[in-house]
Amino acid sequence: MKRAVLKVLSTLLILAAFPASGAQAAPSAAVASPATRFTLTETRSGASFGPFTLFDGARVRVDGTLYRVVFPGNGRVTFVDSTNGRTFGPYQPVEGRLMQLGTAMYAFGGAGKSGVRGNPAASGAPGRAAAHAAPAPIAEFAPMPPKPELIEIPPEVEHRQAPSLDLPGLPDATRPPAWSIWLAPLDTTPFKWKVESVSGKKADFERTTLGGGLGYNSWLAEAAYSTSGKSSAIVPGGLGFSGSSIDDADGFSLAIGYKRPFLREGGWTASAGILGRIRQDKGDISSTALVATSKVDTNNVENVVSEYRSGKSSVKITEKALRLDFDLSYRSGQFMGFAGLQIQPVSSVSVSGHMPYGSENLKISAKHDDAIGAIVGGSYTFWNDFQVFADLTLIYESRLRIGVSREF
């Protein structure tokens, strides 16, 4: 009986010992809980920063700014700006808590529903459990944004300045007033004639001309009088004419122009100019034509008789022209020679008068087809600025001039 009572008592003592040992082990397990991690989310843009480890002294970078975490174990957290020392908090680190950092608001996340009660390492009991507590982890930082690539700025392009062209200036065109008198023993203009609708011959109108001119600087004015004007037959043979010529014509011409040097090098001078001229000749045109007439003889019979009849009528030829002149001259001492090109782009010829043909008058017309001419000439200067000169014009007209001139 005593043995049975002793066995029951020993069993009760052993059962009482097990609950006591279990109660002593619970605090050690609570101290060994892991550290808390959290994130911060900006409320406006939704940008999230973290996760970070929450412990006293941790350093976190939020939106480019570095903050130091103050978490003394009282259940409150404070953020200190590392650049200027400004503090934000203390805040209770619970899920969804709004915290201001800098000028933005952030929502705290990652602490769980119960939040963070304090620093587990600081609230644990001293002794063996504290000795085996896990060391505080190193703070985790958000990665630094990549450094933007530098945009290569091209070197400034200097404004290019084109060098000014060293063009020679126009030679001085100033000349004192001068007069000239000249005689043209040969002054011929080629015309292509036409009688009614029948093309006539190419016949030159020949004349002798006496003229004079005045010049000042680059301006020139001329006037001339022509005598002994005449033209050979203007109607080809086979049309019933034995003669159709112009005789005893006289007339005049007026011209005004401008010509100046544009290049002078050594003794050479290049000049260009323009000249307008009107010329008029008036004479008599005579013709002898074979005409048929009817005669009644003594037997009262009508006979057709062909005979030549001569007639004469006045005619006036007017020519208007615009001419371009280009000259190249060379002066050596008192002698000057030149050659040039003359272009006549505008020319009109009108003929007033008729050609007699028996008892009828036939309309005549003419035109001047040649538009290009050439001129050569020269001059020699004597004492007191007297000059003798001569020039010859060919192609669009044939003219030989000989004259004298002098400056005032």
Side-chain angles (χ1 to χ4, degrees), residues 35-264:
T36 302
R37 297 170 67 81
F38 70 96
T39 59
L40 294 174
T41 304
E42 188 179 354
T43 58
R44 294 183 62 183
S45 64
S48 181
F49 302 92
F52 308 112
T53 303
L54 181 60
F55 66 93
D56 188 47
R59 295 182 179 273
V60 296
R61 185 178 297 276
V62 179
D63 199 16
T65 303
L66 187 64
Y67 295 93
R68 181 172 57 86
V69 178
V70 179
F71 190 48
N74 58 356
R76 298 291 187 270
V77 62
T78 303
F79 297 90
V80 181
D81 192 332
S82 298
T83 57
N84 53 26
R86 184 179 176 185
T87 61
F88 300 92
Y91 304 113
Q92 187 177 7
V94 295
E95 184 76 22
R97 177 61 185 269
L98 295 180
M99 301 179 180
Q100 180 181 356
L101 275 71
T103 59
M105 298 297 293
Y106 297 87
F108 186 88
K113 294 183 179 180
S114 60
V116 178
R117 299 294 182 180
N119 191 339
S123 61
R128 183 173 60 86
H132 292 283
I138 300 175
E140 297 181 9
F141 302 98
M144 294 287 291
K147 186 177 181 181
E149 295 184 3
L150 297 179
I151 300 175
E152 184 178 356
I153 301 177
E156 183 179 358
V157 179
E158 297 182 358
H159 294 288
R160 296 181 59 187
Q161 295 182 353
S164 57
L165 298 177
D166 189 14
L167 297 177
L170 289 175
D172 186 13
T174 303
R175 291 183 57 187
W179 57 264
S180 63
I181 299 175
W182 48 268
L183 172 68
L186 173 64
D187 191 356
T188 302
T189 303
F191 287 123
K192 185 177 181 180
W193 299 91
K194 188 175 182 181
V195 180
E196 292 291 343
S197 59
V198 179
S199 297
K201 296 175 61 177
K202 289 184 177 180
D204 296 341
F205 189 86
E206 303 175 1
R207 59 179 83 80
T208 299
T209 306
L210 176 66
L214 292 174
Y216 178 66
N217 292 337
S218 296
W219 292 95
L220 173 66
E222 287 185 348
Y225 177 74
S226 301
T227 61
S228 305
K230 61 181 180 179
S231 173
S232 58
I234 63 176
V235 179
L239 297 180
F241 286 91
S242 62
S244 54
S245 59
I246 300 176
D247 299 304
D248 299 328
D250 55 24
F252 68 92
S253 68
L254 298 174
I256 185 170
Y258 180 86
K259 182 167 65 175
R260 65 155 298 153
F262 63 87
L263 183 62
R264 182 174 286 135

Side-chain angles (χ1 to χ4, degrees), residues 161-366:
Q161 295 182 353
S164 57
L165 298 177
D166 189 14
L167 297 177
L170 289 175
D172 186 13
T174 303
R175 291 183 57 187
W179 57 264
S180 63
I181 299 175
W182 48 268
L183 172 68
L186 173 64
D187 191 356
T188 302
T189 303
F191 287 123
K192 185 177 181 180
W193 299 91
K194 188 175 182 181
V195 180
E196 292 291 343
S197 59
V198 179
S199 297
K201 296 175 61 177
K202 289 184 177 180
D204 296 341
F205 189 86
E206 303 175 1
R207 59 179 83 80
T208 299
T209 306
L210 176 66
L214 292 174
Y216 178 66
N217 292 337
S218 296
W219 292 95
L220 173 66
E222 287 185 348
Y225 177 74
S226 301
T227 61
S228 305
K230 61 181 180 179
S231 173
S232 58
I234 63 176
V235 179
L239 297 180
F241 286 91
S242 62
S244 54
S245 59
I246 300 176
D247 299 304
D248 299 328
D250 55 24
F252 68 92
S253 68
L254 298 174
I256 185 170
Y258 180 86
K259 182 167 65 175
R260 65 155 298 153
F262 63 87
L263 183 62
R264 182 174 286 135
E265 185 69 29
W268 294 93
T269 301
S271 304
I274 185 171
L275 181 136
R277 184 179 69 176
I278 180 172
R279 164 173 277 186
Q280 188 176 98
D281 294 282
K282 185 176 181 180
D284 296 329
I285 182 169
S286 58
S287 65
T288 301
L290 181 63
V291 296
T293 61
S294 60
K295 291 184 178 181
V296 179
D297 58 12
T298 55
N299 295 323
N300 200 23
V301 177
E302 185 176 357
N303 298 316
V304 177
V305 179
S306 297
E307 62 180 357
Y308 284 96
R309 289 186 181 180
S310 298
K312 181 179 290 188
S313 176
S314 62
V315 64
K316 181 171 64 176
I317 306 169
T318 304
E319 181 183 10
K320 300 176 183 178
L322 181 67
R323 193 180 75 196
L324 303 177
D325 296 340
F326 303 93
D327 295 345
L328 180 62
S329 64
Y330 180 77
R331 179 177 293 276
S332 177
Q334 294 173 294
F335 173 79
M336 188 274 293
F338 72 94
L341 180 68
Q342 297 178 338
I343 301 175
Q344 193 167 268
V346 179
S347 175
S348 66
V349 180
S350 62
V351 180
S352 175
H354 297 83
M355 176 182 291
Y357 181 75
S359 59
E360 299 180 4
N361 290 321
L362 303 180
K363 182 181 179 180
I364 59 176
S365 59

